[in-house]
Amino acid sequence: MTEFVYQLNLPPITDMLLDGINENMLAPLARKADASSSFFYNSIPATSIIKPEYLNINGFEFNLALLFYKSNGSLGRIHRDTTDLSMTTWGINWIHGGFGILEYWNEEDLINEEVITRIDEQGYPIIHYKSLIPARKKYTTTSPNVYLVNTTEIHRPTAWGGRWAISLRTKCNVSWDNIVERFKHLII
C-alpha cells in the first residue's frame, strides 16, 4: 500500500533560503502567533524566500510556499487541502523547530462538519471533519527533516515545540503514485 508521507533526502530549509534570510526569519511571526493563537498560516510566492536553484526539484516547478506554525500540542483540524478530487494536492514539507504528527483517515470514518474556514489557493473551500475512530495512519515529522506529503487525503497536523512546516507547492497535477515513483530515488 502506498504511504501518504515519505521522508526525503533533500537539504535543510536553512540551505535553501535566499541570501539575507536565515532560520530566524520566522521568529517574529512565531512570537505573533504565540501571542494571539496557537496557529499561524501564510501563503507566499516561493521566490520570496527560496533560492532559484531550489524552485525546481525533481522536474517539478514550485511556485508557492505555505508557512504553517503550531505551538506546543496544537491540534489541527481534520481536513483535506482540496474538494476537487480530480486534482492531486501535495507538497514538500520542511520541518523547522519542534516536531509534529500527521494523521490520516478514510472518509467513511468521518463526519463532515460543513464548516468552511477559508478558501484555498485554487479557490476551493476547506471543509473540516470530525473523527468517529482513530486515524488509520500516523506519521511523525521532525526537525530539520524534509517530507513528501499527500494533502489530497484527509489528514490532521499536530505539533510540539513551536514547529514550523514550510511547504513548497506546485500546480502540476500528477497522481500520487506517479509522484512517489518520481521521488523514490530521494526517499529515505
Side-chain angles (χ1 to χ4, degrees), residues 160-175:
W160 289 269
R163 188 271 301 151
W164 282 93
I166 298 96
S167 184
L168 287 186
R169 301 291 176 102
T170 182
K171 292 187 185 233
C172 181
N173 186 25
V174 179
S175 75

Side-chain angles (χ1 to χ4, degrees), residues 46-144:
T47 55
S48 66
I49 63 168
I50 304 296
K51 292 176 183 174
E53 61 266 29
Y54 293 114
L55 294 175
N56 183 314
I57 300 172
N58 207 28
F60 292 100
E61 290 289 331
F62 292 91
N63 54 9
L64 189 64
L66 305 182
L67 308 176
F68 299 96
Y69 172 82
K70 289 186 169 293
S71 64
N72 290 334
S74 177
L75 188 64
R77 304 285 307 259
I78 300 171
H79 69 285
R80 64 170 35 117
D81 285 12
T82 184
T83 56
D84 182 357
L85 298 182
S86 69
M87 297 283 296
T88 301
T89 56
W90 61 281
I92 299 176
N93 289 9
W94 279 260
I95 305 302
H96 177 71
F99 67 97
I101 293 176
L102 278 171
E103 299 172 282
Y104 286 83
W105 281 266
N106 290 325
E107 189 164 13
E108 61 268 16
D109 297 329
L110 301 169
I111 300 169
N112 182 339
E113 287 191 85
E114 296 185 16
V115 175
I116 300 172
T117 58
R118 66 179 174 86
I119 304 297
D120 73 6
E121 289 70 31
Q122 289 80 37
Y124 298 109
I126 301 298
I127 298 170
H128 294 153
Y129 299 85
K130 289 185 179 181
S131 173
L132 297 175
I133 63 170
R136 69 180 168 130
K137 295 264 187 180
K138 287 186 180 185
Y139 303 91
T140 301
T141 57
T142 59
S143 178

